[in-house]
Structures are given as C-alpha cells and as structure tokens.
C-alpha cells in the first residue's frame, strides 16, 4: 500500500503534511437520543450511589424544620472523611429497636414496583421502613440528659437553647424507656461508634429517647438542603447553640483509629461526561432540571 504524501507550493514533497480529514459524520438524532438517555441514567445512578441523594420526608417528626412531602438533598460522602457532628441533620438506617417510620401501604402492582425500583436507582423514591432523619444531639462520649431547671436538654452539662423545637414533649409525664412521650429521660453516655439523635418535633418523634443510639456506620449521609418544594428552598445549618458544647467532653473519647477515607470512584463519571461531550450536541440550559 502506497503512502499518500502532500506537495508544498514549490513542488517539494513534504512527508510531515497530511491531507485534511473530512468532517466527522454526526450520529443521527434517533440513535443519539437513546444513548444520551442511557448516559444520563447511568450518571444519576452513580451520583445517587456515591455522592448525593434526594430523600422524601414521610412523617412530621422533624417539623417545622422539615415538613411532610419535603425533599432534602443528602451528602453521602462527607462522613467517609469524618464523623457526624452535633446539630447536623442526618439520614440513617434504624436498628432492630427502631420502629418503622413509614405507615403500611397496600402491596403495589408490577408497574408500581418497577417504578419504585427505577426511582430508588436514581434516588427519588419514598424511603424504606428503616430510613430515618433526625438531628444529632450527642456524639461518642457525650452525656445527654433532660432536663435542667428550665426543661432543656443538656449535653455534658451544657443546656441547649433549641429554637428549632416548636412542639416539645410534656414535662409532667414520667420518663419511659419504651415510649418517647415524655420530655424527660435519664442521662445517657453515648457509646463509642454511636450517636444520640432526636427529632425536632418531640411530641411525635420516635427517637433515641426510647429506641436507643444509632451506630455511625448506619448513617447514610448529612441532609444539608431542602430542594422541594421550591417555596421551602433552604439550607440545614448547625444551630448556634451547639457551639457552646464544643470542647466540653465529660466522658473519655473512644480510642482507636479514625474513619478511613474512601476513594469515590469518579472515573465512571468522568468517562460518561466525556461521552456526552463527544456527542457534539449542546443541551439548552432551560431544559435541564433537577428531579428530587
């Protein structure tokens, strides 16, 4: 096979010059659209699995911070590099002691199950019976109790001014380890590797008062943003009252190595993004929307 050589203006053969390539033929839209949909679905699954996930709020245990029907965005990678901190709102899987949070619903049909499966893959389905969202009150080694003379929760002897609690449990009910009806509960020293969580709506929240602390390994991630409905778009910061507890440790902190950071597999995300860029078609910004 002969080698095609180009000739310059003087008639000399230039071996380094090549003929210009013909423009690359673009893929027909009917072939490109399914490919883009598959790539978008794979991206959603990867992001949901390793980075972010939207969670639906099924109960009123966090009112008025979170209302029934709200959707929150959860950072699933933050606790790979550190442990949960006091005051953060976290999503976690309850232990066997935790009663289901979602009321029972009729058995769905095939299409409903298929929709639930697809929704779970991309992170827009309803939570499972053992998925909970609460606020972290105590971390390993903390002494948590209620109440002081003003009926406030204390952490390591420091009273919390919980402005986010609008509906508190009554003080006149005696503490009961099997029910979360009373505001008062005996002092708890949070065990190593666990957190003490409470709901912001103490009158209806079933939480660590009667169901016990939660292992940190069960925490899915930190809820940091209300994304739906749009009228309730807001962040979920740590309340200032917890700053007074920082640096006050009344029990020995757990020993042993800290959490081992996990490497997030970003290569598939980069590869999928490269594939979309190579398609040669731009998507109008007005058509992009985040489904929560």
């Amino acid at each position: 096979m002969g080698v095609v050589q180009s000739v310059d203006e003087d008639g000399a053969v230039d071996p380094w010059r090549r003929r210009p390539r013909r423009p690359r033929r673009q893929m027909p839209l009917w072939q490109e659209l399914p490919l883009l949909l598959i790539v978008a679905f794979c991206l959603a699954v990867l992001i949901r699995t390793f980075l972010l996930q939207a969670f639906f709020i099924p109960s009123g245990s966090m009112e008025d911070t979170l209302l029934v029907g709200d959707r929150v965005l959860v950072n699933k990678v933050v606790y790979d590099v550190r442990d949960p901190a006091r005051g953060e709102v976290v999503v976690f899987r309850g232990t066997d002691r935790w009663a289901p949070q979602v009321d029972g619903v009729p058995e769905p049909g095939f299409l409903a199950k298929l929709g639930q499966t697809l929704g779970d893959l991309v992170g827009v389905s309803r939570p499972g019976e053992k998925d909970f969202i609460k606020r972290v009150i105590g971390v390993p080694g903390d002494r948590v109790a209620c109440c002081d003379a003003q009926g406030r929760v204390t952490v390591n002897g420091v009273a919390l001014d919980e402005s986010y609690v609008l509906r508190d449990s009554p003080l006149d009910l005696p503490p009961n380890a099997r029910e979360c009806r009373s505001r008062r509960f005996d002092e708890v020293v949070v065990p190593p590797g666990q957190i003490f969580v409470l709901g912001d709506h103490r009158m209806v929240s079933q939480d660590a008062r009667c169901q016990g602390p939660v292992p940190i390994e069960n925490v899915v991630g930190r809820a940091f943003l209300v994304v739906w409905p749009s009228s309730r778009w807001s962040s979920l910061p740590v309340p200032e009252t917890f700053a007074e507890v920082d640096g006050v440790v009344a029990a020995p902190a757990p020993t042993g190595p800290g959490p081992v950071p996990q490497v997030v597999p970003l290569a598939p995300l980069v590869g999928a993004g490269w594939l979309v860029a190579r398609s040669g078609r731009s998507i109008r910004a007005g058509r992009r929307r985040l489904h929560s």
Side-chain angles (χ1 to χ4, degrees), residues 137 153 160-166 168 198 202 241-242:
I137 302 297
V153 173
L160 300 179
D161 292 317
E162 299 180 286
S163 59
Y164 49 84
V165 177
L166 302 182
D168 213 336
L198 296 175
R202 302 283 161 79
T241 185
F242 289 92

Side-chain angles (χ1 to χ4, degrees), residues 24-36:
R24 195 184 186 109
R25 185 178 180 182
Q26 289 189 347
M27 186 181 299
L29 180 61
W30 66 270
Q31 292 180 352
E32 184 180 15
L33 185 58
L35 178 61
L36 292 176

Side-chain angles (χ1 to χ4, degrees), residues 82-165:
R82 68 171 178 84
D83 285 342
R86 305 181 192 95
E88 293 178 339
V89 178
V90 297
V91 172
F92 59 92
R93 295 181 300 275
T95 64
D96 292 339
R97 291 185 58 182
W98 283 68
Q101 181 172 260
V102 181
D103 295 334
V105 295
E107 184 69 18
F110 172 76
L111 294 179
K113 288 183 178 180
L114 179 62
Q116 290 177 0
T117 301
L118 294 176
D120 182 65
L121 285 175
V122 298
V124 296
S125 64
R126 293 179 66 89
E129 291 186 350
K130 286 296 185 178
D131 291 335
F132 297 84
I133 183 166
K134 306 289 181 185
R135 190 180 299 275
V136 179
I137 302 297
V139 296
D142 283 348
R143 293 185 298 112
V144 185
C146 192
C147 304
D148 69 353
Q150 300 181 34
R152 297 175 296 182
V153 173
T154 62
V155 179
N156 300 332
V158 179
L160 300 179
D161 292 317
E162 299 180 286
S163 59
Y164 49 84
V165 177

Side-chain angles (χ1 to χ4, degrees), residues 174-194:
N176 188 334
R178 296 182 179 181
E179 294 181 348
C180 293
R181 297 177 58 197
S182 174
R183 186 187 312 187
R184 294 187 286 131
F185 57 88
D186 296 332
E187 181 179 274
V188 175
V189 178
V190 184
Q194 301 191 35

